[in-house]
Each structure stands twice: as structure tokens, then as C-alpha cells.
Amino acid sequence: MTVVSSSPWGKSAAAQPGVQTRALAAKVLAAVIGKGRSLKAELGAALPRLDDGRDRALLEAICFAVLRRRAVYDQALRQWLQKPLGARDSDLRALLMAGFAQLDVLQLPAHAALSATVDAARALGRERQAGMVNALLRRAQREGFAEARAEDAWPAWLLAQVRRDWPQQASEIITQSLQPAPMWLRVNRQQYARDAYLVLLAEAGIDAVAEPLSADAVRLPVAVPVASLPGFAQGAVSVQDLSAQQVADALQAPSAARVLDACAAPGGKSAHLLERDPSLRLLALDVDARRLQRIRETFARTGVGAQAQVLAVDAVDTAAWWDGVAFDAVLLDAPCSATGIIRRQPDVLLHRRAEDISALAALQARLLDALWTVLRPGGVLLYSTCSILRQENGQQVAEFLARTPDARVQALPDAFGHDVAGSRQRLPGEQGGDGFFYARLLKAD
């Protein structure tokens, strides 16, 4: 593997294959575990610093493995260290965990994992602790790690909530949430029929399976770098989970409809709607102006930008952005706890707090009430979340219906998951998809 030549740790570190990757992994993990930062954001900043795709894949694999096995590695450090590491040692703790994950989960050759991780300690300015890192990694190599229960990674309050909400399925939810997620692709039907794109994948030596639950979905048994996907840069295909792709199936916007995507970033669902039907007149909103660039990039790559307008506004404040012309269809993919995508964002288990759920539920209710006013009579609002918690999903919809006389649920079929009073809930790992909730709400004429 290669590393970039302009290493911030000096030429000696940069010259050694894999050292920068381990040092970056420690930096990312220290920020996520020690400072409460987002794994997605930290990886987004770190990955471009590595030239080789194999190094980038290794960095991601180390970080995900550590976060999924953090409780086990914490226990090992408590047992093996005579003196606990202090608050200033977050990078050292993270580097040790990165080393553990290489031996335990990734099962890299021990000599390579040890050598590069010890050198990474020096590259991080931890020359004095390099011997300790070497000793602890060798002990991990000899003794291995204790078996862990999947629930050990979960905060007690969230574990209890999942067991209350899904008593029969809780064990499987917890297990599935700590498994690696498969790679799902969405074929852009404006460029290729799915079967035609499957031929391109086969010609490129990439195994792929069509998913009958959604017309554009393809599942890869083995993940590959996006750059290796035929036509990716030209928008022929996008990476999007099956459950997220089914949003377009659930919305069923009529041809030439005026459509609102109220919380649109990073733009994948809007792009999918426009790939399905270029006649749609779509307005994409997001409250975070910085995230609008992601939407524009998504639209540009997939070739749908001409049919869409993008605004940085708070969707709740309709007076600030609505022109008074009612929408035929509204997509509210609401901010939520992200408890359905823990396998993709394992740091959710670190960062989410019990009080967050009530705050999120209140925001979801405000969005529902505001967006209902911009929907025409006879129109449809699809409420979706990547949560598995009833407070954000079934309970949220029930409370909305109770205060909204002209709203009713249109039942969705079994393809969308478990029935929740006409709405649907897919749980993590079911049909290989993420945990996701769908409620199709019709406005009376």
C-alpha cells in the first residue's frame, strides 16, 4: 500500500507503508470516542489524505471494527494496564484499539499490524510509549480477547427502549446492528436498465444480485470502491441502501407532480425520484446551507439538476420559502435518532442520549404540521425515518392523525416491513436493508 508523500508526521513516518493509515485511524477514533465527533465527518476529512484506495478501505475497516468492539477493547485495557490512561492519552488509547482491531477482527498479518502500529505511535509523537504499544499488541496476539455480547455495545437506556418497542425482535435487532452492512447500488434508469447494468458489472468482474423488492436496487455480496463501478462518475449508479431506495416506491408521486423534499441532503432520495420520473418538478430544501453543496453535487453527477430547485431554509418556516402553490407530494425524511442505521454509523451508540429522542420527536411533529399546510387536498406526504423507535415512528404518526382531521394513512404492502397500523417498519438487516420507517399520509379532498 502507498501513502501520500506530504505526511504531517514527517518523512520517516510517511516512508513506511501503512503507518499513516494507522495514525489517521487513531486520530479519527480519538475524535469520535473522546470528543463526541461524527464518524462520518471525521472519515470524510481523513480519507482524502490517503492516495491508495486500499489504505482508505483499511482506515474505514479499522474504525468500524473498533467502534463495534469498543467495550471488549476497553475491558482488555483495564485488565492489562497497571495505570489507566489519562484524558490526554485519547490518541494513544485509540491507537491501541486500532491495533487490537487489526489482530482481532481484521486478522491482518501480525508482524505487519504490530510494526506499522508501533511506528504510528512514534509518528504521533508517542516515542516513549512505543514499547508499551508493542507489548500490549503482543499480549493481544497471544491471549486474544474475551467474547462479547452484542448488547454490551449499547447504552442501557437505548437497549431498554428497543426491548420495550420490539420485545420479540430485540435480540436480532441488536445483533444485526453490529454487523457490517452490505453494499447496495441504485441504477439510474435514465442511463441503464438494471439488467443492462448487471451485465456491465459482470464484465468488470463485480458480483451483483438484483433485488426484487425495489426496481433499481442491486446488492453486491462484496463491497468495492465506487471508482471501480462502471459509469459511477457519470451518474449511472449510486450507492444507496435498499430501505432508502424504497422511499421512492412508497411516495409514488404522479407524473409531472410538484414535489417537495423537505430535508433533502445529501440528495440521494431526490435524485432517485428524478431518475424515476424526469417530469417531476422538485424543490429540495435543507436547513444546513453547507449540506446544499452535497445535494448539488449529487444532482450534477446523476444528471437531474435541471429538474430541481435547491434552497437552504428551515422547512418549518413555510413563510420564508413557500410561494403559496400547493405541492402534489411531499417527502419528509425526518431528522431522527438514526437507530436503524447503527451498522453504518456505529458511533450512534456513543453519541445518542435519552433526552435526544424527545427533542427529535418534537421537531418531527413541527415538520409534519408545517408541511401538511403546503400539501394540496388529495396529495400525499410520505413520512420516513431511519429510526426503529416507536416514539419517532408509529407513535408520531398516531399523534399526528389525532390532531389532523383531514389526514389518513394509506396502508403500504408487506414489501416495506412490519405493519404498524398501516405504516411500515423495516428492522436492521431484514432483506439486507437498514432499519427504516414509512408512513404514507393522504390529505382529504
Side-chain angles (χ1 to χ4, degrees), residues 185-215:
L185 305 181
R186 182 188 80 236
V187 178
N188 184 348
R189 61 173 65 183
Q190 295 303 310
Q191 297 191 30
Y192 292 98
R194 180 169 61 178
D195 287 348
Y197 191 76
L198 286 169
V199 172
L200 293 182
L201 289 172
E203 290 173 348
I206 299 172
D207 291 335
V209 180
E211 172 51 58
L213 285 178
S214 192

Side-chain angles (χ1 to χ4, degrees), residues 168-436:
Q168 302 302 317
Q169 298 88 358
S171 178
E172 185 64 15
I173 288 170
I174 293 158
T175 298
Q176 285 294 326
S177 290
L178 295 180
Q179 299 300 312
M183 188 173 188
W184 286 97
L185 305 181
R186 182 188 80 236
V187 178
N188 184 348
R189 61 173 65 183
Q190 295 303 310
Q191 297 191 30
Y192 292 98
R194 180 169 61 178
D195 287 348
Y197 191 76
L198 286 169
V199 172
L200 293 182
L201 289 172
E203 290 173 348
I206 299 172
D207 291 335
V209 180
E211 172 51 58
L213 285 178
S214 192
D216 305 310
V218 170
R219 179 175 178 171
L220 303 188
V222 178
V224 300
V226 294
S228 70
L229 296 170
F232 178 83
Q234 294 74 36
V237 69
S238 299
V239 177
Q240 188 179 45
D241 188 82
L242 168 67
S243 298
Q245 291 188 48
Q246 285 195 281
V247 164
D249 302 322
L251 182 63
Q252 300 173 30
S255 181
R258 189 167 193 247
V259 178
L260 172 67
D261 185 350
C263 303
K269 298 179 183 69
S270 283
H272 191 197
L273 291 171
L274 292 167
E275 290 168 8
R276 287 267 181 103
D277 185 357
S279 74
L280 298 179
R281 295 164 292 147
L282 188 139
L283 173 62
L285 310 180
D286 203 87
V287 70
D288 187 344
R290 295 168 299 178
R291 287 162 57 87
L292 250 64
Q293 183 58 30
R294 291 284 307 281
I295 300 177
R296 293 190 179 100
E297 290 170 357
T298 298
F299 286 179
R301 187 182 63 80
T302 56
V304 301
Q307 302 98 268
Q309 182 183 4
V310 179
L311 292 177
V313 293
D314 182 351
V316 171
D317 185 11
T318 57
W321 59 267
W322 185 39
D323 62 5
V325 180
F327 290 89
D328 303 298
V330 173
L331 169 58
L332 173 54
D333 187 41
C336 71
S337 63
T339 45
I341 57 171
I342 290 168
R343 59 187 191 160
R344 297 188 187 278
Q345 297 183 20
D347 53 322
V348 167
L349 295 177
L350 274 173
H351 303 331
R352 192 64 66 225
R353 300 290 180 263
E355 56 269 24
D356 296 343
I357 309 306
S358 294
L360 286 163
L363 173 59
Q364 293 154 5
R366 291 197 300 274
L367 284 162
L368 278 166
D369 290 343
L371 296 173
W372 196 250
T373 68
V374 307
L375 181 68
R376 70 165 174 82
V380 61
L381 184 152
L382 183 73
Y383 174 74
S384 65
T385 75
C386 57
S387 169
I388 58 172
L389 302 183
R390 292 190 184 273
Q391 185 177 352
E392 300 179 273
N393 295 340
Q395 180 182 328
Q396 182 71 263
V397 170
E399 292 172 356
F400 174 72
L401 294 173
R403 65 177 182 270
T404 313
D406 60 347
R408 68 178 180 86
V409 172
Q410 184 179 57
L412 289 166
D414 291 347
F416 294 90
H418 301 265
D419 180 55
V420 183
S423 302
R424 291 286 174 171
Q425 176 78 62
R426 173 166 291 117
L427 299 175
E430 292 179 336
Q431 289 79 45
D434 288 337
F436 227 87

Side-chain angles (χ1 to χ4, degrees), residues 57-97:
L58 177 58
L59 172 59
E60 288 191 284
I62 290 172
C63 292
F64 274 83
V66 167
L67 291 172
R68 289 176 178 139
R69 295 274 285 167
R70 183 177 57 88
V72 174
Y73 301 156
D74 274 336
Q75 179 183 353
L77 288 173
R78 286 194 297 269
Q79 292 176 345
W80 296 346
L81 286 170
Q82 292 183 345
K83 181 181 178 181
L85 295 173
R88 296 182 179 180
D89 295 320
S90 60
D91 61 338
L92 183 60
R93 175 185 291 274
L95 181 66
L96 285 165
M97 289 184 169

Side-chain angles (χ1 to χ4, degrees), residues 17-55:
V19 173
Q20 187 179 10
T21 306
R22 274 75 173 184
L24 275 173
K27 293 278 191 180
V28 169
L29 289 165
V32 172
I33 297 172
K35 299 179 181 178
R37 304 272 177 78
S38 159
L39 174 63
K40 182 184 291 187
E42 292 298 315
L43 283 174
L47 289 169
R49 298 169 73 170
L50 297 170
D51 281 343
D52 194 309
R54 293 168 296 176
D55 289 316

